[in-house]
Amino acid sequence: MSNGRHVCHMTSVHARHDIRVFHKECRSLALAGYSVTLLVADGKGDAEDHKVAIKDTGLVKGRFSRLLRSVPRIYWHARKLKADVYQFHDPELLPVGWLLSVTGNCVVYDAHEDLPNDVFNKPYIKPFLRRPLSSLTAWLERSVGRRLAACVCTTDYIKKRFDKAGVRTLLLRNYPKADIDVALRVPAEAKKFTLVYAGAISENRGMRTMLRAVETAEVRLLLLGRFGDPALLEELKKTTAWQNHVDYRGVVDKAAVEEAYKHSSAGFIAPHPDPNYIRALPVKLFEYMMFGLPVIGADFDLWKSIIKGNDCGISVDPLNVDAIADAIVHLRDNPLEAVAMGERGKVAVAEKYSWETEFNGLDDLYKQLLRSSNSVGSIS
């Protein structure tokens, strides 16, 4: 499978239909004329979807088992493909990227998160191990990154870290795709005020403050996603706030999330001020905007520059329940202002924050790599 533009994306962690990996990068590359193979490890078998060949290396459960079994399997399958460009999406695949690169292949690392800082927020890592592991992962990323053709980064902060290490970089922000119907919103006056949150759910993502705020404001919360800690879910289910104000849908597909947005009044995104959140560009911020939802978001400098800069919502102290509740009440009691904010957010996404514009950078990078005689290598 090669047209001189065969690209292979690899993940041992992400779902085969992950928004960034599959829907944005792989599908966009296929539409641009590349032959695209996606290596996954989910046990669901091989398939072809939207001209993307999905190859399953088999499900392996547990972090350490993945390192010992899934990672070598992905390397073995990647070798067999003899692709023109390889791109991997998980830090645990850094050894795979290194091995492919030292055998003459063109390899790109897609750094979704700021890994050294992310280590400090992993609950399964003992506190006394976090600092040395953070330093180790930073060194590993720098060392491997210098051998690779390029590193694709989701934020300026991550990009600058690799720039300092002398790695070729591309800023590829996680903006939403504008290929969905966002016009069929339910008119605000036809529904009861509903705050929506979609994504991973945990205490440090603001679950407790969000719950207390909707109880104070006496509004409905539409909640979609997976609880990182099942014990937190069971605890919150017993509260009157949950019982009276929460509609929890659990883990749902992309279509159900989009339908929830269409029936909501405002989007919420106000995690605790951890370094990874402060420096991140969360895709759901832009999804809320794209669907014409005014945003209640944390007052981190980067986020505030988007929310206030486009006058598309209200920035709040993410640890202040009263401030969050006041923002909810303001939007609830001023529906015309809320609708206007939502419309400004929708325009901002169309003009400044769309994936379609962002993808041009990845396409240009691939073309440059493929033109380079030392980049179009295959495994002998």
Side-chain angles (χ1 to χ4, degrees), residues 301-337:
D301 289 343
L302 178 59
W303 297 21
K304 190 188 296 185
S305 70
I306 296 167
I307 296 170
K308 285 192 172 295
N310 294 288
D311 195 11
C312 62
I314 302 175
S315 295
V316 295
D317 177 348
L319 302 179
N320 189 326
V321 174
D322 291 336
I324 296 169
D326 287 346
I328 296 171
V329 169
H330 182 84
L331 295 178
R332 183 197 66 193
D333 294 348
N334 297 275
L336 294 180
E337 181 182 350

Side-chain angles (χ1 to χ4, degrees), residues 99-246:
L99 285 169
L100 289 171
S101 68
V102 297
T103 48
N105 291 275
C106 176
V107 185
V108 177
Y109 175 31
D110 196 324
H112 294 209
E113 297 179 344
D114 180 15
L115 181 61
N117 276 312
D118 194 37
V119 167
F120 285 97
N121 295 314
K122 297 295 186 186
Y124 55 83
I125 299 176
K126 300 291 185 184
F128 71 92
L129 290 174
R130 290 175 185 171
R131 187 169 298 279
L133 279 177
S134 176
S135 298
L136 177 62
T137 55
W139 172 83
L140 184 62
E141 279 193 325
R142 287 195 305 270
S143 300
V144 175
R146 292 189 186 106
R147 292 215 52 104
L148 305 181
C151 179
V152 171
C153 309
T154 56
T155 68
D156 279 305
Y157 183 83
I158 298 173
K159 182 181 184 299
K160 288 174 183 176
R161 189 160 56 80
F162 281 98
D163 285 340
K164 288 179 182 177
V167 179
R168 179 179 185 174
T169 59
L170 169 70
L171 180 61
L172 191 69
R173 290 160 292 203
N174 219 8
Y175 293 160
K177 291 184 74 176
D179 63 346
I180 54 180
D181 179 14
V182 298
L184 301 177
R185 287 286 314 284
V186 177
E189 62 274 10
K191 65 195 174 194
K192 185 177 180 180
F193 189 96
T194 300
L195 187 69
V196 65
Y197 173 89
I201 305 169
S202 63
E203 185 163 355
N204 71 346
R205 285 182 170 88
M207 185 62 239
R208 289 187 191 276
T209 48
M210 179 166 45
L211 188 57
R212 290 166 59 195
V214 296
E215 182 178 39
T216 301
E218 298 184 334
V219 299
R220 178 173 175 257
L221 170 64
L222 183 52
L223 190 61
L224 307 99
R226 177 181 287 108
F227 272 79
D229 180 6
L232 177 62
L233 171 59
E234 294 308 311
E235 176 192 340
L236 295 180
K237 278 182 177 179
K238 298 173 184 176
T239 65
T240 57
W242 181 281
Q243 293 163 10
N244 295 334
H245 298 281
V246 176

Side-chain angles (χ1 to χ4, degrees), residues 4-50:
R5 285 156 59 91
H6 180 197
V7 301
C8 172
H9 281 240
M10 303 173 284
T11 177
S12 54
V13 177
H14 293 82
R16 63 174 57 201
H17 291 132
D18 179 83
I19 300 297
R20 178 177 175 88
V21 179
F22 175 78
H23 284 285
K24 293 179 183 175
E25 297 191 34
C26 289
R27 285 184 58 185
S28 297
L29 288 164
L31 284 171
Y34 294 86
S35 296
V36 184
T37 301
L38 172 61
L39 292 182
V40 297
D42 60 8
K44 296 180 180 179
D46 297 348
E48 182 160 338
D49 195 343
H50 288 85

